[in-house]
């Protein structure tokens, strides 16, 4: 027996409305807030054993997954290839194309901002003997760029000029290692308390919203992905005084005076504000 998808007209109308609204203004943050205010959630469902799963709040990740789902275009996807389905499309080809033109432009804009941004650890990275490591790159004939950090003396006098023999370090690897350590530290209970106390000292009125601090710290990885490279670099300089590279690993020296600025950056970021609004809606 051939199985055919049956369209739920109420759900299809919501899908078309979401596509149309995104095509109109192209703001995922605005659309997510509108959907939350209107009380829309993801689909609720019941298992064969009778267990009910309620719909959850629609966030940006779910929104973009929906906008990329070719099922709504009347297609089925198998092993990365799209084929015409036996069901009717929910959105028109024109509406699909309008939405994806916006998404593609958004990706291009992020690539441009990343290219023009400073290196994540610029001004923070030092060798074991105290030399600052400078960002640099080489570009191959195929146009691909490879980024590195090199000791100051190596940059000025040539490779091998440093006392400890440390040469160029691949930028992506060292940045990933430092960033993983930062995220791990920020999510620790001790650091959450430290940040909260620093922010509390900053607020004379004493009306600090503790859940905002906890939310920002616990979801630092998600928040980080929403930041532009320039914002990421600024936050790293707020949190870190220097990163010292040793033969057996790296050492991060934290900037104790940067927690207040970090709290402001995180608590005022749109992603955190959206999550806070989401929780408020769910509590109503």
């Amino acid at each position: 027996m051939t199985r055919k998808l049956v369209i739920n007209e109420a759900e299809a109308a919501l899908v078309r409305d979401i596509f149309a609204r995104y095509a109109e203004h192209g703001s995922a943050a605005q659309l997510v807030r509108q959907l939350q205010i209107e009380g829309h959630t993801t689909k609720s469902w019941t298992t064969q054993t009778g267990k009910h799963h309620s719909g959850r709040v629609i966030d940006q990740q779910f929104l973009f997954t929906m906008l990329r789902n070719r099922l709504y275009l009347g297609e089925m996807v198998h092993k990365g290839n799209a084929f015409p389905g036996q069901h009717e499309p929910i959105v028109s080809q024109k509406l699909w194309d309008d939405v994806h033109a916006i998404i593609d432009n958004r990706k291009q804009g992020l690539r441009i901002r990343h290219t023009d941004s400073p290196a994540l650890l610029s001004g923070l990275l030092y060798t074991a003997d105290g030399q600052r490591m400078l960002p640099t790159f080489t570009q191959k004939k195929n146009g691909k760029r490879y980024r590195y950090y090199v000791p100051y003396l190596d940059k000025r006098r040539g490779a091998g000029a440093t006392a400890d023999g440390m040469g160029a370090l691949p930028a992506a690897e060292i940045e990933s290692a430092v960033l993983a350590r930062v995220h791990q530290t920020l999510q620790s209970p001790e650091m959450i308390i430290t940040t909260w106390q620093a922010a509390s000292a900053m607020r004379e009125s004493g009306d600090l919203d503790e859940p905002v601090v906890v939310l920002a710290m616990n979801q630092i990885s998600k928040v980080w992905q929403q930041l532009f490279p320039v914002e990421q670099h600024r936050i790293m300089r707020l949190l870190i005084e220097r990163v010292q590279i040793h033969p057996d690993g790296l050492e991060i020296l934290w900037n104790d005076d940067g927690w207040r600025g970090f709290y402001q950056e995180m608590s005022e970021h749109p992603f955190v504000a959206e999550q806070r609004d989401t929780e408020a809606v769910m509590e109503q």
Side-chain angles (χ1 to χ4, degrees), residues 1-43:
M1 182 177 64
T2 302
R3 300 181 65 182
K4 183 177 180 180
L5 292 176
V6 178
I7 296 175
N8 182 309
E9 288 302 329
E11 294 176 1
L14 177 59
V15 169
R16 281 191 291 270
D17 183 52
I18 289 174
F19 269 78
R21 284 201 262 181
Y22 185 79
E24 179 182 352
H25 54 66
S27 172
Q30 178 181 334
L31 181 51
V32 164
R33 283 194 294 269
Q34 291 172 347
L35 295 172
Q36 291 171 1
I37 292 172
E38 294 165 7
H40 295 298
T41 63
T42 62
K43 185 177 180 179

Side-chain angles (χ1 to χ4, degrees), residues 75-95:
E75 298 180 351
M76 302 292 290
V77 178
H78 179 66
K79 294 184 178 180
N81 298 314
F83 304 93
Q86 297 184 10
H87 62 286
E88 294 295 323
I90 293 176
V91 300
S92 67
Q93 184 69 56
K94 182 181 184 306
L95 182 55

Side-chain angles (χ1 to χ4, degrees), residues 113-270:
R113 279 189 288 267
H114 179 75
T115 301
D116 296 339
S117 65
L120 184 63
L121 300 178
S122 177
L124 298 174
L125 197 60
Y126 291 81
T127 64
D129 62 357
Q131 287 186 68
R132 177 172 291 182
M133 300 195 72
L134 306 177
T136 187
F137 68 90
T138 59
Q139 190 157 339
K140 302 299 182 182
K141 292 182 179 180
N142 60 6
K144 190 171 184 179
R145 177 178 293 189
Y146 294 88
R147 298 187 304 113
Y148 302 92
Y149 289 96
V150 297
Y152 173 77
L153 289 181
D154 279 18
K155 183 81 170 178
R156 288 289 302 273
R157 305 176 189 173
T162 54
D164 56 10
M166 181 179 295
L169 296 177
E173 293 183 15
I174 189 64
E175 288 172 356
S176 295
V178 172
L179 195 55
R181 181 81 65 84
V182 169
H183 286 184
Q184 180 182 20
T185 301
L186 291 178
Q187 290 175 317
S188 68
E190 297 82 2
M191 195 60 70
I192 291 177
I193 293 173
T194 299
T195 305
W196 179 30
Q197 290 174 342
S200 296
M202 180 180 62
R203 295 286 189 90
E204 296 180 358
S205 60
D207 60 348
L208 175 66
D209 188 2
E210 177 187 359
V212 174
V213 178
V214 176
L215 177 67
M217 301 286 275
N218 284 336
Q219 300 201 28
I220 182 62
S221 296
K222 292 182 180 180
V223 177
W224 191 262
Q225 295 172 7
Q226 303 293 323
L227 300 175
F228 292 130
V230 173
E231 296 174 307
Q232 293 175 348
H233 180 259
R234 183 170 64 248
I235 288 177
M236 292 294 275
R237 294 188 69 88
L238 277 174
L239 294 176
I240 296 175
E241 182 176 334
R242 65 195 290 157
V243 178
Q244 201 92 19
I245 302 296
H246 298 284
D248 56 348
L250 59 88
E251 176 187 9
I252 296 179
L253 302 179
W254 300 96
N255 181 10
D256 294 335
D257 295 330
W259 295 111
R260 298 179 183 181
F262 171 74
Y263 167 77
Q264 288 180 314
E265 290 275 353
M266 290 294 96
S267 62
E268 295 173 2
H269 191 270

Side-chain angles (χ1 to χ4, degrees), residues 50-113:
K51 185 176 181 180
H52 181 73
H53 293 265
S54 300
R56 59 183 179 83
V57 172
I58 295 176
D59 56 19
Q60 290 194 38
Q61 181 179 359
F62 180 87
L63 176 65
F64 282 113
T65 299
M66 172 185 287
L67 295 176
R68 294 187 178 99
N69 191 344
R70 302 191 71 88
L71 192 70
Y72 302 134
L73 196 57
E75 298 180 351
M76 302 292 290
V77 178
H78 179 66
K79 294 184 178 180
N81 298 314
F83 304 93
Q86 297 184 10
H87 62 286
E88 294 295 323
I90 293 176
V91 300
S92 67
Q93 184 69 56
K94 182 181 184 306
L95 182 55
W96 176 275
D97 291 341
D98 289 345
V99 164
H100 282 262
I102 295 173
I103 292 175
D104 290 342
N105 287 337
R106 181 177 181 270
K107 287 182 179 178
Q108 182 63 29
L110 290 176
R111 282 196 289 268
I112 292 172
R113 279 189 288 267

